Amino acid sequence: LKRYDSSGKSIEDPVAPGHLTSDERKVWRRVVRELSALKTLAKTNLPTLARYCQLSVLCEKTSKVLKEKGMTYERQRENK
């Protein structure tokens, strides 16, 4: 999807930061596309967007573990 600013200059979507994992980059690309279409993507939002991508993937992974193992666990007692 090619976009242009008000002067007709081509606008490139921002590249995901290098520290994001591949799953986090997928979230980045999806959200950048959505924000670009809404014309609400700004450079000042990019650090927050990177954190959102990280937390989104973390929440997804955590939810899977909780579904598999449940919300509680038994702690083994230490012998005294």
Side-chain angles (χ1 to χ4, degrees):
L1 174 66
K2 256 222 168 69
R3 296 178 298 114
Y4 301 91
D5 66 13
S6 58
S7 68
K9 184 178 176 183
S10 176
I11 301 172
E12 296 293 324
D13 285 337
V15 175
H19 66 275
L20 295 183
T21 65
S22 62
D23 287 339
E24 294 164 351
R25 286 185 188 134
K26 289 176 188 174
V27 175
W28 174 279
R29 287 189 294 272
R30 179 180 50 80
V31 174
V32 164
R33 243 186 344 264
E34 292 171 7
L35 294 177
S36 293
L38 294 170
K39 298 180 181 177
T40 58
L41 184 62
K43 284 184 182 180
T44 56
N45 298 341
L46 298 182
T48 304
L49 175 57
R51 180 62 59 164
Y52 169 79
C53 295
Q54 292 172 317
L55 293 174
S56 177
V57 170
L58 177 63
C59 284
E60 186 178 323
K61 288 179 179 180
T62 302
S63 292
K64 286 179 183 177
V65 170
L66 290 173
K67 283 179 185 175
E68 290 173 11
K69 300 191 183 259
M71 296 288 283
T72 60
Y73 65 95
E74 289 189 27
R75 186 174 146 191
Q76 293 191 7
R77 301 191 89 155
E78 295 179 19
N79 292 333
K80 288 189 175 186

